Amino acid sequence: MVLRNDISLIKTPTVAFTALINKVELPAIAGTYSTYTGQQAIASGWGKTSDSATSVANTLQYEVFEVVSVSQCQNTYGSLVATNNVICVATPNKVSTCNGDSGGPLVLVSDSKLIGVTSFVSSAGCESGAPAGFTRVTSYLDWIKTNTGVSY
């Protein structure tokens, strides 16, 4: 299956921000040229915690991952899936995003910018050690601005 434009926008009425609930900023348009390779990013979600799990997590799960190059991701998924509109992270030690995490954030540790949206893992499973794929937010900044009015 080839995933294209695996991103969406949801309009919410209001959100009460707290110490535990806050917004995340979009990256600058200059980030379009960054590969983010080697940088640390946090993925979080409410999905399954293992391939054998029968339900999703009761508490928000998160992990710090290292961004890998598109070419390294293409070694696993090929160039039709791992395009320049995708960011991948290494998933050592059987730790990865999993079923139910889709749509969740991938946020840079260094500046708390949203660089990815959880999209896919290997068909071999979440614990396979294959890179996890995220839709690259910088590829959609113009689309986000057109549909929301939010500038980057």
Side-chain angles (χ1 to χ4, degrees):
M1 172 164 70
V2 177
L3 302 171
R4 297 270 188 257
N5 305 314
D6 191 18
I7 190 169
S8 65
L9 297 168
I10 300 171
K11 184 176 184 176
T12 58
T14 59
V15 175
F17 293 121
T18 68
L20 299 175
I21 302 170
N22 209 337
K23 63 185 179 288
V24 62
E25 292 184 22
L26 294 171
I29 192 68
T32 302
Y33 306 104
S34 176
T35 64
Y36 301 110
T37 301
Q39 294 191 46
Q40 301 291 306
I42 298 172
S44 57
W46 298 86
K48 292 183 176 183
T49 57
S50 71
D51 290 321
S52 61
T54 57
S55 63
V56 294
N58 290 327
T59 58
L60 181 64
Q61 304 294 302
Y62 67 93
E63 186 64 53
V64 177
F65 296 98
E66 182 177 329
V67 177
V68 297
S69 68
V70 172
S71 62
Q72 185 174 341
C73 198
Q74 287 172 342
N75 289 339
T76 301
Y77 300 109
S79 59
L80 291 178
V81 173
T83 67
N84 288 331
N85 294 332
V86 169
I87 291 175
C88 288
V89 299
T91 63
N93 307 318
K94 296 187 176 189
V95 175
S96 181
T97 53
C98 202
N99 300 71
D101 288 326
S102 294
L106 180 67
V107 178
L108 279 180
V109 170
S110 62
D111 65 5
S112 299
K113 301 289 189 204
L114 178 70
I115 62 167
V117 178
T118 306
S119 182
F120 63 89
V121 296
S122 170
S123 60
C126 309
E127 299 173 284
S128 69
F134 298 78
T135 300
R136 184 185 174 89
V137 171
T138 56
S139 296
Y140 296 90
L141 289 174
D142 287 337
W143 177 79
I144 292 168
K145 183 177 180 181
T146 298
N147 288 281
T148 66
V150 174
S151 296
Y152 37 84

